[in-house]
Amino acid sequence: MDAFEFYSPLWFALAPLVIAGVWYAHAFRRRPAALFSSLADLKNLPVTTAQRVRRVLPFVYALGLLLLVTGLARPRAGKSESRINTEGIAIELVLDLSGSMEARDFTIDGKAASRVAVVRNVVKQFVLGSKAAKLPGRHDDLVGLVAFATYADSKCPLTLDHGALTDIAQTLDIPKPIFDRQGNVLNMKTLQEDLNTAIGDGTSLAVDRLRGTKAKSKVIILLTDGDNNAGVVDPREAAKIAKAEGIKIYAIGIGHDGPVPFPMMDAFGQTVLQDRVFPIDEALLKEMAQTTGGKYFHAEDTEGLLKVYSEIDKMEKSKVEESRYTDFTELYAWLIVPGLALIVGVSFLMATRFRALP
């Protein structure tokens, strides 16, 4: 980026004085010593080149003075370089994909939607940014993704390729039933297992993924709508391990406390909505967050979930420092030299060729 400045701009205060002085000297010249009774005959004489030159000499002299003043103000140009140093944050998104995430107590564009569909949408806005949701995005941060139900699985390693990460996030879904030709569900046992929630396993896997990163700030954003009823790692122990590794946990519990519409299959193989209750172990999530110095949030609807991610975004800011370097080249010589040349030249001509008698 090119830069230009006047290092000593106060010299420009002399410019009005220069202009006023030249105008005064030109307008109030001394009257000629010899008087004539009439100048009528002289007006018809042709104007010579010398006369024309003499008329512009005061203005040339003024130009020289202005060039000199501008040179004294030290104009200089240079090239600026900016170096931006970022201290990003490593964020591991830990998302619940248990069967309860199919509950339809959230909305997208005013239409009922499953919890998991809304979470996919909000995570995308949180990572990439959204003007509507007032989320700037996490462009300078490493972001990873862990999903859990009965088992925990790392879906995406910590990466700056946020487009790829959000593409993976958009594919996350609750396992669906697989039917045979007679309409029987072939994966009933798996579906029943996926109703479980292994909060401890998901958290410990996220801690393991963050352990190797060199980021000075490490964060887990844990989102769930249930209580821990599966897995081999106790969530409280996982939180203690996170604290030992310097990892902060922000825990988010989503969903209503009471009955919520949940898709079920009736005797005729049709999907119907029935009220189900999925309790959230808020005491556990609060304890996990407090253990690591984080915070617990509860979101009952889509707007509330966006506000939660917005608040976390404000609490966890990347450190960005900009250092600017400019290499200047002094330009005053290009003005002072011609300015002095004009002043000396005009003074010489006025003292010789265009010298006037008093």
Side-chain angles (χ1 to χ4, degrees):
M1 175 181 175
D2 292 334
F4 181 83
E5 67 175 20
F6 288 96
Y7 186 75
S8 304
L10 292 177
W11 283 99
F12 283 119
L14 294 178
L17 298 178
V18 170
I19 296 173
V22 172
W23 175 80
Y24 180 84
H26 182 69
F28 297 95
R29 289 180 301 178
R30 295 176 61 184
R31 298 185 63 183
L35 299 178
F36 295 88
S37 60
S38 175
L39 298 177
D41 294 335
L42 298 177
K43 291 182 179 180
N44 295 324
L45 294 177
V47 179
T48 65
T49 302
Q51 290 175 314
R52 291 191 178 96
V53 171
R54 193 180 192 287
R55 290 174 182 174
V56 300
L57 286 181
F59 302 101
V60 175
Y61 190 83
L63 176 61
L65 290 175
L66 291 175
L67 287 175
L68 187 61
V69 169
T70 306
L72 291 173
R74 285 188 63 186
R76 56 185 192 169
K79 292 185 177 180
S80 296
E81 295 182 0
S82 296
R83 297 180 184 177
I84 298 178
N85 302 316
T86 62
E87 187 179 299
I89 301 171
I91 302 174
E92 196 72 44
L93 303 174
V94 184
L95 306 180
D96 187 348
L97 288 184
S98 62
S100 55
M101 292 289 288
E102 276 283 15
R104 305 297 172 88
D105 54 338
F106 281 65
T107 60
I108 295 178
D109 296 330
K111 298 181 180 180
S114 66
R115 294 173 178 178
V116 67
V118 172
V119 169
R120 289 196 302 259
N121 188 32
V122 173
V123 163
K124 182 177 181 179
Q125 295 180 72
F126 173 73
V127 176
L128 297 183
S130 169
K131 291 183 179 180
K134 297 181 179 179
L135 288 167
R138 311 299 305 194
H139 307 295
D140 299 316
D141 300 324
L142 288 168
V143 184
L145 179 61
V146 168
F148 68 93
T150 302
Y151 308 102
D153 185 21
S154 178
K155 297 295 184 180
C156 181
L158 290 166
T159 180
L160 288 172
D161 188 353
H162 297 159
L165 181 137
T166 53
D167 287 343
I168 294 173
Q170 296 307 300
T171 66
L172 298 180
D173 206 353
I174 311 300
K176 297 295 189 293
I178 301 174
F179 299 96
D180 60 15
R181 294 182 179 180
Q182 286 74 36
N184 300 315
V185 179
L186 299 176
N187 59 337
M188 180 61 73
K189 183 178 180 180
T190 303
L191 290 176
Q192 290 176 347
E193 288 181 350
D194 283 330
L195 288 173
N196 298 325
T197 309
I199 296 175
D201 286 8
T203 304
S204 63
L205 180 56
V207 171
D208 185 63
R209 293 295 180 267
L210 287 168
R211 183 180 285 118
T213 181
K214 296 181 180 179
K216 293 185 178 180
S217 182
K218 305 174 186 179
V219 174
I220 289 175
I221 302 179
L222 169 66
L223 183 145
T224 181
D225 68 345
D227 58 352
N228 187 73
N229 54 18
V232 296
V233 181
D234 182 86
R236 294 174 177 84
E237 290 300 320
K240 291 178 182 179
I241 297 172
K243 179 183 179 181
E245 294 291 336
I247 300 171
K248 193 181 299 182
I249 296 177
Y250 292 104
I252 306 172
I254 66 169
H256 294 81
D257 295 329
V260 295
F262 186 80
M264 300 286 290
M265 189 175 298
D266 62 15
F268 302 99
Q270 301 296 319
T271 301
V272 295
L273 295 178
Q274 297 180 3
D275 285 344
R276 293 281 302 274
V277 176
F278 300 104
I280 305 173
D281 193 344
E282 291 191 288
L284 170 64
L285 298 177
K286 289 178 181 178
E287 184 178 345
M288 293 177 68
Q290 291 172 358
T291 298
T292 62
K295 188 175 180 180
Y296 170 73
F297 304 87
H298 184 211
E300 292 190 347
D301 52 29
T302 304
E303 183 179 352
L305 186 58
L306 280 169
K307 288 181 179 179
V308 167
Y309 274 94
S310 178
E311 185 172 347
I312 294 174
D313 183 82
K314 293 176 182 177
M315 294 171 69
E316 293 294 336
K317 286 293 185 184
S318 298
K319 183 180 178 181
V320 180
E321 294 182 350
E322 182 177 1
S323 301
R324 183 166 298 225
Y325 306 89
T326 305
D327 182 18
F328 284 107
T329 300
E330 298 286 350
L331 303 176
Y332 63 88
W334 294 92
L335 298 170
I336 290 181
V337 172
L340 287 174
L342 291 178
I343 293 172
V344 172
V346 171
S347 299
F348 178 77
L349 290 175
M350 295 296 292
T352 55
R353 175 67 178 81
F354 298 104
R355 182 178 182 181
L357 295 176

